[in-house]
């Protein structure tokens, strides 16, 4: 390994080989799903998504149909593009992720296309985080290769558009810029970036993950004495996180909802998700023993192939 790092030619060849390894499987998947990811046909499909939504479990109480998450996100993105108030349809999540889907429809006439680029961005940011820590291109590429070829990551391509794949690169970007801030003596501008991107995280999906990231950042700053003086600078920028959340509800506010009611909407989202959790730590049962505590019907315990 040491000899490889010293031999520049061999080093470059190895990096290229790793790059090829990173992109081989994703490229194969993209080519096999071209008709789905890049077809410009959303305008002809929207009416079907609309009918599917209004006859689904989210709207109809008597003998409802079942709408999968992909179809729900397709419908919501199209509805948002037409100017529908986010709280007038199922608002189990903040609206920014669905507005990103609407942007994809506007540009590509396909709600799935932009998620392909966001998934690729996730792999790139993993490389940047690794490079920031390891200070070595080859080792960082290896980290990215392992991550990109992980079945759970590859599975993101099979379920588009979903908010998880939309949110993922923003999670990684938040971590990346926070780590950069730790390594500089004047981190304020980087903390601004962290807070803005953290706003994207909580505006795309339920705020619990954003709160967990925030707690981890504050604990990290507190545990290291040389970083404690940066805590105040970081906390000062956090209103920007809330500002991004409010901006994602611009249509709702313009339609007459008072700004402070946005907090009430977040409370509703919290209660909605809280009711879907069997116990506060049931996710460990899923991660460790593949026992998925479902929240519908009789709350049976299911299993997942991944």
């Amino acid at each position: 390994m040491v000899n490889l790092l010293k031999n520049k030619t061999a080093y470059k060849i190895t990096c290229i080989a790793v790059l090829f390894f990173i992109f081989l499987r994703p490229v194969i998947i993209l080519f096999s799903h071209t008709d789905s990811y890049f077809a410009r046909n959303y305008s002809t499909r929207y009416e079907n998504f609309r009918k599917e939504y209004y006859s689904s479990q989210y709207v109809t109480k008597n003998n409802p149909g079942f709408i999968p998450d992909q179809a729900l996100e397709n419908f919501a993105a199209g509805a948002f593009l037409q100017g529908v108030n986010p709280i007038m349809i199922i608002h189990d999540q903040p609206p920014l992720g669905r507005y990103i889907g609407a942007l994809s429809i506007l540009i590509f006439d396909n709600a799935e296309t932009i998620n392909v680029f966001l998934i690729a961005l996730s792999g790139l940011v993993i490389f940047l985080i690794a490079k920031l820590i390891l200070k070595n291109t080859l080792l960082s590429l290896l980290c990215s290769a392992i991550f990109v070829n992980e079945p759970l990551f590859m599975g993101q391509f099979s379920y588009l558009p979903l908010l998880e794949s939309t949110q993922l690169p923003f999670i990684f970007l938040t971590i990346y810029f926070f780590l950069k801030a730790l390594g500089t003596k004047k981190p304020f501008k980087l903390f601004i970036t962290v807070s803005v991107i953290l706003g994207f995280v909580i505006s795309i999906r339920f705020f619990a993950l954003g709160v967990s990231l925030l707690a981890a950042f504050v604990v990290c700053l507190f545990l290291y004495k040389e970083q404690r003086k940066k805590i105040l600078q970081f906390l000062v920028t956090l209103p920007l996180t809330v500002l991004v959340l409010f901006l994602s509800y611009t249509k709702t506010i313009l339609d007459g909802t008072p700004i402070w009611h946005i907090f009430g909407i977040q409370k509703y989202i919290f209660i909605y998700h809280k009711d879907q959790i069997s116990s506060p730590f049931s996710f460990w049962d899923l991660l460790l023993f593949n026992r998925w505590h479902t929240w519908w019907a009789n709350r049976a315990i299911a299993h997942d192939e991944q």
Side-chain angles (χ1 to χ4, degrees):
M1 188 64 167
V2 174
N3 291 334
L4 174 63
L5 296 177
K6 290 181 178 179
N7 189 319
K8 292 184 178 180
T9 302
Y11 183 79
K12 291 179 180 178
I13 293 174
T14 304
C15 288
I16 293 172
V18 174
L19 277 172
F20 177 78
F21 175 68
I22 290 173
F23 292 111
L24 179 60
R25 287 181 65 195
V27 168
I28 291 174
I29 290 177
L30 288 178
F31 273 106
S32 63
H33 292 82
T34 300
D35 292 342
S36 175
Y37 298 156
F38 301 107
R40 301 178 66 87
N41 61 2
Y42 181 87
S43 55
T44 63
R45 301 166 64 202
Y46 173 74
E47 187 60 26
N48 289 333
F49 290 133
R50 190 188 71 81
K51 290 179 179 178
E52 195 172 359
Y53 171 76
Y54 282 105
S55 62
S56 73
Q57 69 273 24
Y58 294 108
V59 179
T60 304
K61 293 183 178 180
N62 297 322
N63 300 317
F66 175 77
I67 182 172
D69 290 345
Q70 301 96 300
L72 172 62
E73 299 307 329
N74 264 294
F75 163 72
F80 285 14
L81 184 60
Q82 294 185 11
V84 172
N85 187 330
I87 64 173
M88 298 306 295
I89 60 176
I90 178 68
H91 48 288
D92 57 327
Q93 306 286 357
L96 184 57
R98 288 158 181 167
Y99 277 120
I100 292 175
L103 177 64
S104 183
I105 296 170
L106 182 65
I107 298 174
F108 305 107
D109 194 23
N110 190 322
E112 300 178 18
T113 307
I114 202 166
N115 281 69
V116 174
F117 297 105
L118 290 173
I119 292 172
L121 178 60
S122 297
L124 173 62
V125 181
I126 283 292
F127 166 75
L128 295 176
I129 292 173
K131 184 70 179 295
L132 196 63
I133 297 170
L134 301 174
K135 313 294 184 184
N136 182 276
T137 301
L138 177 57
L139 294 178
S140 301
L141 284 172
L142 288 172
C143 290
S144 185
I146 293 170
F147 174 78
V148 168
N149 287 275
E150 218 291 323
L152 279 175
F153 178 81
M154 296 301 297
Q156 297 292 315
F157 286 102
S158 302
Y159 304 99
L160 296 181
L162 289 184
L163 296 178
E164 286 83 355
S165 56
T166 304
Q167 185 192 46
L168 189 60
F170 296 102
I171 295 171
F172 292 155
L173 283 169
T174 305
I175 296 171
Y176 172 71
F177 284 107
F178 179 77
L179 292 175
K180 281 186 70 72
L182 294 184
T184 181
K185 294 181 179 179
K186 296 181 179 180
F188 187 68
K189 291 182 179 180
L190 288 170
F191 281 149
I192 289 176
T193 304
V194 171
S195 293
V196 169
I197 301 176
L198 188 61
F200 276 73
V201 172
I202 69 169
S203 301
I204 293 173
R205 295 190 74 242
F206 175 41
F207 61 81
L209 181 56
V211 172
S212 299
L213 281 171
L214 174 59
F217 292 159
V218 172
V219 169
C220 182
L221 290 171
F222 180 77
L223 288 180
Y224 294 94
K225 292 182 179 180
E226 65 273 16
Q227 301 291 348
R228 288 180 186 174
K229 58 185 178 182
K230 299 177 181 178
I231 292 180
L232 182 59
Q233 294 184 66
F234 179 50
L235 295 179
V236 167
T237 66
L238 288 180
L240 293 172
T241 301
V242 180
L243 176 62
V244 173
L245 178 64
F246 281 5
L247 288 175
S248 71
Y249 283 97
T250 297
K251 175 61 178 176
T252 302
I253 296 171
L254 290 177
D255 282 359
T257 300
I259 293 178
W260 58 87
H261 283 194
I262 303 303
F263 291 112
I265 295 172
Q266 304 315 300
K267 180 181 178 181
Y268 164 81
I269 294 175
F270 170 75
I271 294 173
Y272 176 88
H273 287 278
K274 180 175 175 289
D275 290 342
Q276 295 179 355
I277 300 176
S278 300
S279 66
F281 302 103
S282 60
F283 65 91
W284 285 115
D285 206 14
L286 172 61
L287 292 175
L288 298 177
F289 306 108
N290 192 18
R291 289 164 50 85
W292 180 19
H293 296 252
T294 61
W295 58 87
W296 55 83
N298 60 351
R299 292 180 175 262
I301 295 178
H303 304 280
D304 192 284
E305 293 181 357
Q306 301 185 65

